[in-house]
Amino acid sequence: MNTDILSSFRPALVMTLLFALLLGLAYPLALTGIGQALFPSQANGSLVVDGGKVVGSTVVGQAFASERYFHTRPSAAGQGYDGLASAGSNLGPASQALHDRVKADLQRMQTAAPGRPVPPDLVTTSASGLDPHISPEAALYQVERVARVRALEPEALRRLVAASIERPALGFIGEPRVNVFELNRRLDALGAKPAQ
């Protein structure tokens, strides 16, 4: 009877080990190798190196707190843009915590630009909490503040935002968006000094 049980389990054990090796080891290694060979920058996080130092990523958002820069949308990932804690906040429309945070963000935004409606993506988080993009309207909303702090002409910044708009893929997949990290790098490239 023992031999019957062992002979019955042997194919199941062999198949389990085979598929564990195939799908748990060989397949991930093959995909990693293909990614590294064909798309090395993307496979390594689309990191941007400046002066031999990694300064950010074009696919993972990061917080810009200084008034000299365009700000990203709020992040619910950990303490904000934490890649190890990528997730939404799971706060629903009836959540008082969400209501209070959005209300405080709205008041802060309206103080910076009174009388103008605040674009929704400046007060709402993305599903992953790591989205590096904002809408063109959200970027244009911040032009006056950044221009004032950097002593630049607002029209020059509007042109910079317009030049930074990424169009939908194939003309219809996605929405127009602005990568905040890349926009702020272009802003720094203008070489303007902050107003004193």
Side-chain angles (χ1 to χ4, degrees):
M1 181 144 170
N2 269 347
T3 58
D4 289 341
I5 293 174
L6 285 178
S7 63
S8 297
F9 280 123
R10 186 174 299 131
L13 290 172
V14 169
M15 293 304 287
T16 299
L17 287 173
L18 176 68
F19 279 104
L21 289 173
L22 182 66
L23 300 175
L25 189 63
Y27 180 72
L29 286 175
L31 285 184
T32 300
I34 291 169
Q36 289 290 337
L38 298 178
F39 309 103
S41 175
Q42 293 88 338
N44 292 311
S46 300
L47 300 176
V48 176
V49 178
D50 189 12
K53 180 182 174 190
V54 175
V55 294
S57 169
T58 59
V59 294
V60 177
Q62 58 193 64
F64 289 91
S66 171
E67 295 297 306
R68 293 174 39 83
Y69 291 104
F70 288 90
H71 296 167
T72 55
R73 64 190 305 160
S75 173
Q79 296 299 312
Y81 293 102
D82 178 3
L84 298 176
S86 172
S89 67
N90 291 332
L91 299 176
S95 167
Q96 189 62 44
L98 177 62
H99 178 269
D100 294 343
R101 187 198 54 78
V102 170
K103 184 177 178 182
D105 286 349
L106 275 171
Q107 288 174 340
R108 182 176 46 82
M109 292 290 179
Q110 288 170 337
T111 302
R116 294 176 53 207
V118 178
D121 53 327
L122 287 178
V123 295
T124 57
T125 63
S126 67
S128 70
L130 302 176
D131 189 359
H133 297 95
I134 58 176
S135 66
E137 295 79 20
L140 290 169
Y141 182 84
Q142 301 177 67
V143 162
E144 299 296 329
R145 171 183 49 82
V146 175
R148 183 181 66 252
V149 172
R150 288 189 177 243
L152 293 170
E153 288 296 321
E155 191 53 41
L157 288 186
R158 284 188 194 89
R159 285 192 301 272
L160 183 68
V161 168
S164 300
I165 296 173
E166 298 173 10
R167 303 290 174 201
L170 303 176
F172 67 93
I173 300 174
E175 296 182 16
R177 62 205 175 279
V178 175
N179 186 304
V180 178
F181 175 73
E182 290 180 349
L183 175 61
N184 284 332
R185 285 186 43 88
R186 290 183 184 120
L187 179 63
D188 281 342
L190 291 176
K193 296 180 181 175
Q196 297 297 325

